[in-house]
């Protein structure tokens, strides 16, 4: 039927009904899945935002929380290198902080609170085996929430290396790996880029 002045109200109502119920089947499947984990009536105790935070973690990256679970190896917590590190994270945008967390932990959000870390510490380790240190990139071990860094000589170099790492070391994502391999013909994509020497630039 064509829409005209006589049936326009019926069309609007039909369109609204369709849009409001087009995902009923999928929503019911989600509810049934949740019901296997938690009694559905209990969900009414939380707002939508509270429930999202409980399931997905903080949408932002609160650095105070990250600092509270940080431990340091091969470097003192009050050393210039550690201070530079946190100062750089402070300047990162929310999206850059998510990229950093993905680089070091394989996830883009922090847990809801300290208890949800369940004893997992963020480990920042500084090693002197990288020589000269400014020619090397940071290494991450996402299974251990571990970041290894050379003893960089300046805050500027640390900023450059860290930004490069979080933006371009993404092959932990298998979709990216498949795309890179297909589109660029790269035989092997590595999560960590080592020994990246910029001395020839």
């Amino acid at each position: 039927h064509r829409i005209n002045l006589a049936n326009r109200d019926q069309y609007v109502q039909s369109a609204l009904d369709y849009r409001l119920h087009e995902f009923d089947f999928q929503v019911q499947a989600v509810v049934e899945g949740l019901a296997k984990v938690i009694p559905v009536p209990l969900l009414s105790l939380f707002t939508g935002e509270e429930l999202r935070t409980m399931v997905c973690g903080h949408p932002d990256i609160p650095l105070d929380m990250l600092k509270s679970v940080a431990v340091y190896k091969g470097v003192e917590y009050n050393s210039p290198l550690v201070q530079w590190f946190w100062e750089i994270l402070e300047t990162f945008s929310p999206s850059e902080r998510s990229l950093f967390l993905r680089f070091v932990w394989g996830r883009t959000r922090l847990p809801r609170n300290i208890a949800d870390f369940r004893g997992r510490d963020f480990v920042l380790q500084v090693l002197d085996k990288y020589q000269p240190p400014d020619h090397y990139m940071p290494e991450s071990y996402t299974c251990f929430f571990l970041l290894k860094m050379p003893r960089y000589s300046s805050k500027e170099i640390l900023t450059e290396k860290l930004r490069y790492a979080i933006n371009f070391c993404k092959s932990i994502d298998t979709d990216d790996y498949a795309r890179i391999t297909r589109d660029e013909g790269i035989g092997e994509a590595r999560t960590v880029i080592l020994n990246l020497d910029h001395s020839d630039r």
Side-chain angles (χ1 to χ4, degrees):
H1 297 287
R2 296 175 63 87
I3 301 173
N4 53 48
L5 289 176
N7 65 13
R8 62 181 179 178
D9 290 339
Q10 180 184 356
Y11 168 77
V12 170
Q13 188 58 51
S14 297
L16 286 173
D17 289 342
Y18 172 76
R19 294 305 301 235
L20 289 172
H21 298 285
E22 64 179 319
F23 297 114
D24 282 358
F25 178 79
Q26 291 86 347
V27 169
Q28 184 58 35
V30 171
V31 171
E32 291 175 2
L34 285 173
K36 296 182 182 297
V37 180
I38 183 173
V40 173
L42 292 182
L43 297 178
S44 63
L45 297 174
F46 307 100
T47 65
E49 183 175 350
E50 289 172 335
L51 185 61
R52 180 182 63 183
T53 301
M54 291 177 67
V55 174
C56 302
H58 282 285
D60 57 351
I61 309 295
L63 293 183
D64 287 343
M65 180 182 293
L66 188 59
K67 286 181 182 180
S68 69
V69 297
V71 296
Y72 306 96
K73 294 184 177 181
V75 66
E76 296 295 327
Y77 75 95
N78 58 353
S79 69
L81 187 60
V82 171
Q83 299 305 311
W84 296 340
F85 172 77
W86 291 115
E87 289 169 5
I88 291 166
L89 287 190
E90 290 282 357
T91 66
F92 276 6
S93 66
S95 61
E96 286 178 317
R97 291 185 187 182
S98 291
L99 286 173
F100 168 77
L101 197 61
R102 182 171 180 264
F103 176 68
V104 298
W105 204 10
R107 55 190 292 173
T108 57
R109 296 185 178 193
L110 287 176
R112 184 171 56 99
N113 53 46
I114 297 297
D116 289 341
F117 278 87
R118 300 180 181 179
R120 175 61 62 86
D121 293 324
F122 165 52
V123 182
L124 177 59
Q125 184 174 15
V126 176
L127 299 174
D128 291 316
K129 69 177 183 178
Y130 307 107
Q131 295 297 331
D134 292 349
H135 290 178
Y136 288 78
M137 297 293 294
E139 297 180 44
S140 67
Y141 296 79
T142 56
C143 292
F144 302 102
F145 201 6
L146 168 64
L147 177 66
K148 291 185 177 182
M149 295 195 311
R151 202 174 296 275
Y152 293 120
S153 62
S154 71
K155 182 178 178 180
E156 290 72 24
I157 291 175
L158 174 55
T159 302
E160 176 192 352
K161 302 294 187 181
L162 201 54
R163 274 211 164 97
Y164 189 97
I166 66 173
N167 280 285
F168 296 104
C169 302
K170 297 181 179 179
S171 61
I172 188 173
D173 187 331
T174 56
D175 292 335
D176 278 350
Y177 176 85
R179 177 183 56 76
I180 291 171
T181 303
R182 182 187 68 247
D183 295 346
E184 301 180 16
I186 297 177
E188 179 182 2
R190 300 180 62 192
T191 303
V192 179
I193 294 181
L194 304 175
N195 196 16
L196 182 60
D197 191 341
H198 292 283
S199 60
D200 58 347
R201 289 188 303 175

